Amino acid sequence: NLVPYYLGESCLKPKQIGGQILKGKDLLHYFKSYMDIFQQDELPEPKTILGATAEANIRAALAAAKDKYVEEMEKRVGGDKGYVNETDLETHHAQAMDKAENLFNTCKKLGGSKLSSQYLAKLLTYMEDQYTHYIKINKSKKLAAAQEKYVEEMEKRVGGDKGYVNETDLETHHAQAMDKAENLFNTCKKLGGSKLSSQYLAKLLTYMEDQYTHYIKINKSKKLAAAQEKYVEEMEKRVGGDKGYVNETDLETHHAEAKDIAVNQFETCNKLGGPELSDEFLKKLYDYIDKEYKKIKKNMKEKNKSNDIIKLGLFVAAAGVTIASGGVAGLVLVAEASLAAEASAVAFATGAAITTVGTVGTAVASAAMYVRDKFFRHSQLFFRLSIAYGRKFVDNEANAPTLAETAAVAEIAGVAETAGVAETAGVAETAG
């Protein structure tokens, strides 16, 4: 029961000095005042101790009044609050000062009016200093609002989801966005004097120029992407997936033309940001084009290999039809049916194997199967060659076509150099 007796809520009574309840932080002022007195060499007189008590008492009143001013100002201009119109800020400052002064004056104080006036002057000085601090905080909020305004206006025209903007239009839009941001900020020029306002305006202008450089880079990136797409688009016209083999000379010429078109398109975007920035992005474009061209050349080599194999397969098929003495008309019908139905090379290979004879029939089937597995996109060409040649054979069944005629049919079907392949393979005209 001892602890509750001494520390219980009903037993603990707040201490008072001069009828004023003493707070914990007030007690610190008394300690400081008394320590200053007792640090002297001589024992203090009662009058000196009374003066120290009076000073500590008025210091406590001053601290309470300061806290009151800050509390009132924080309600309106605190860190989590938005910008306050400067007229409203002045009004709120005056109201907060009145409340703080009233609190100071209503506090019971020892020491008389002279001491009280001294500390009231200190309170007024403190509040004016704090007011300057709040003016700066408020201007910072206005500066942030003006910065956001500039970004908001620029994003409408040059945001991430927007396309490339002509550089003249970009300059114009930047100037308009700056005007709107400055106009917003200039509603905040009254308090703190012209010097303070000029400092914050300079910060705003610097921020907007830095952001403008950022938007110039974003815009150039979009132009770079468009130029890269232009190069690919031009190359696809000549060497796209559905296009045939292109020899190296023609490929190099087309690459140079596509490169010029892409670079010319990009160089309409060379004014803003200075030559250094433009050169930086132009180098990125050249690097991209070189990288893409290497891929295209590699693909073209693969396509050339495929083309050679297909030519050989087509020749085998043509030779098989030529050598076969019976069932050629049936083979033609099978091939035509497969082509009409857009069937795979399997249909043709099966028909070829059935309607031709011996080793030749097997060769035709193998060639067709290989073409189907590796180069299915060329099966239509494979069908057409066999059909064209088969028709010729049927029409001229009494006299087998010569090798020269075989080559002619191959060229009609779109297969170049078939005759050369035939001669390399050692096939004589008498094979017919």
Side-chain angles (χ1 to χ4, degrees):
N1 297 327
L2 180 63
V3 173
Y5 176 79
Y6 283 107
L7 301 179
E9 186 177 344
S10 60
C11 299
L12 286 176
K13 303 295 181 182
K15 303 298 183 285
Q16 296 182 6
I17 294 180
Q20 191 76 29
I21 292 176
L22 191 66
K23 297 178 182 177
K25 60 182 178 180
D26 298 337
L27 191 60
L28 178 63
H29 297 300
Y30 287 96
F31 285 161
K32 285 181 177 179
S33 296
Y34 292 146
M35 288 301 297
D36 288 342
I37 294 171
F38 286 107
Q39 279 179 348
Q40 298 174 10
D41 294 334
E42 298 178 0
L43 287 175
E45 296 179 3
K47 182 180 179 182
T48 308
I49 295 175
L50 178 61
T53 304
E55 187 174 359
N57 174 254
I58 205 165
R59 280 181 181 175
L62 175 64
K66 286 179 177 179
D67 290 345
K68 185 63 176 176
Y69 175 80
V70 171
E71 177 190 328
E72 292 298 319
M73 291 300 286
E74 285 291 318
K75 289 178 182 177
R76 193 72 183 85
V77 207
D80 59 338
K81 304 294 189 296
Y83 170 75
V84 180
N85 174 282
E86 293 201 334
T87 303
D88 293 344
L89 182 60
E90 279 186 298
T91 302
H92 193 71
H93 162 64
Q95 292 170 348
M97 283 187 72
D98 286 342
K99 290 181 180 180
E101 282 188 64
N102 288 337
L103 178 62
F104 179 80
N105 291 328
T106 54
C107 286
K108 291 184 179 181
K109 297 180 285 294
L110 303 174
S113 60
K114 183 179 179 181
L115 187 62
S116 181
S117 298
Q118 289 175 358
Y119 276 85
L120 179 60
K122 288 182 180 181
L123 173 61
L124 294 175
T125 301
Y126 170 83
M127 289 191 291
E128 287 301 329
D129 290 343
Q130 285 297 109
Y131 184 41
T132 301
H133 168 68
Y134 283 117
I135 288 172
K136 289 180 179 179
I137 289 176
N138 205 43
K139 282 190 183 290
S140 296
K141 292 174 182 176
K142 193 64 169 182
L143 173 63
Q147 290 171 340
E148 289 172 8
K149 184 65 177 174
Y150 174 80
V151 171
E152 176 190 327
E153 292 298 319
M154 291 300 287
E155 285 292 317
K156 289 177 183 176
R157 193 71 184 85
V158 208
D161 58 338
K162 304 295 188 298
Y164 169 74
V165 180
N166 174 282
E167 293 203 335
T168 303
D169 292 343
L170 182 61
E171 279 186 299
T172 302
H173 193 72
H174 162 63
Q176 291 171 347
M178 283 188 74
D179 286 343
K180 289 181 180 179
E182 282 189 62
N183 289 337
L184 177 62
F185 178 79
N186 285 335
T187 62
C188 172
K189 288 186 73 172
K190 181 181 175 186
L191 299 179
S194 59
K195 184 178 179 181
L196 185 62
S197 293
S198 297
Q199 289 174 355
Y200 278 87
L201 182 59
K203 289 181 180 180
L204 174 60
L205 295 175
T206 301
Y207 172 84
M208 290 190 292
E209 288 302 329
D210 290 343
Q211 284 297 110
Y212 184 40
T213 301
H214 167 69
Y215 282 117
I216 288 171
K217 288 181 179 179
I218 289 176
N219 205 42
K220 282 188 184 291
S221 295
K222 292 174 181 176
K223 191 66 171 181
L224 173 64
Q228 290 171 342
E229 288 173 8
K230 188 64 178 175
Y231 173 79
V232 172
E233 177 190 325
E234 292 298 319
M235 291 302 288
E236 285 290 316
K237 290 177 183 178
R238 190 71 183 86
V239 290
D242 59 340
K243 304 295 188 297
Y245 171 74
V246 180
N247 68 58
E248 284 193 17
T249 304
D250 291 345
L251 182 63
E252 188 67 38
T253 300
H254 192 69
H255 159 67
E257 291 171 352
K259 185 176 181 180
D260 285 343
I261 291 170
V263 170
N264 288 336
Q265 178 174 303
F266 177 78
E267 286 188 333
T268 61
C269 172
N270 257 344
K271 180 181 176 185
L272 298 179
E276 235 178 76
L277 187 62
S278 293
D279 290 346
E280 177 188 331
F281 277 86
L282 191 58
K283 183 180 182 301
K284 289 181 180 179
L285 176 59
Y286 283 132
D287 290 345
Y288 174 85
I289 290 173
D290 289 344
K291 186 177 178 181
E292 285 299 304
Y293 186 46
K294 285 178 183 176
K295 289 181 185 176
I296 290 169
K297 286 201 292 186
K298 184 179 179 181
N299 291 339
M300 195 52 61
K301 285 181 181 178
E302 294 298 323
K303 193 177 283 189
N304 190 30
K305 288 179 184 176
S306 305
N307 197 42
D308 289 343
I309 295 172
I310 290 167
K311 287 176 186 176
L312 183 58
L314 291 170
F315 171 72
V316 171
V321 176
T322 304
I323 294 169
S325 57
V328 176
L331 173 59
V332 173
L333 291 174
V334 171
E336 285 179 331
S338 299
L339 181 62
E342 296 184 353
S344 69
V346 176
F348 173 70
T350 305
I354 293 170
T355 55
T356 55
V357 292
T359 305
V360 174
T362 304
V364 173
S366 298
M369 285 288 196
Y370 188 80
V371 172
R372 180 208 63 182
D373 292 340
K374 300 294 183 183
F375 313 105
F376 177 72
R377 62 182 178 277
H378 295 285
S379 59
Q380 293 272 2
L381 181 63
F382 187 49
F383 292 160
R384 291 181 188 281
L385 174 60
S386 299
I387 291 168
Y389 188 81
R391 282 175 177 160
K392 184 172 179 61
F393 185 87
V394 172
D395 292 341
N396 193 17
E397 197 167 0
N399 300 304
T402 64
L403 181 60
E405 289 173 326
T406 303
V409 173
E411 288 175 1
I412 291 170
V415 183
E417 301 176 341
T418 305
V421 176
E423 288 170 359
T424 303
V427 181
E429 290 183 9
T430 53

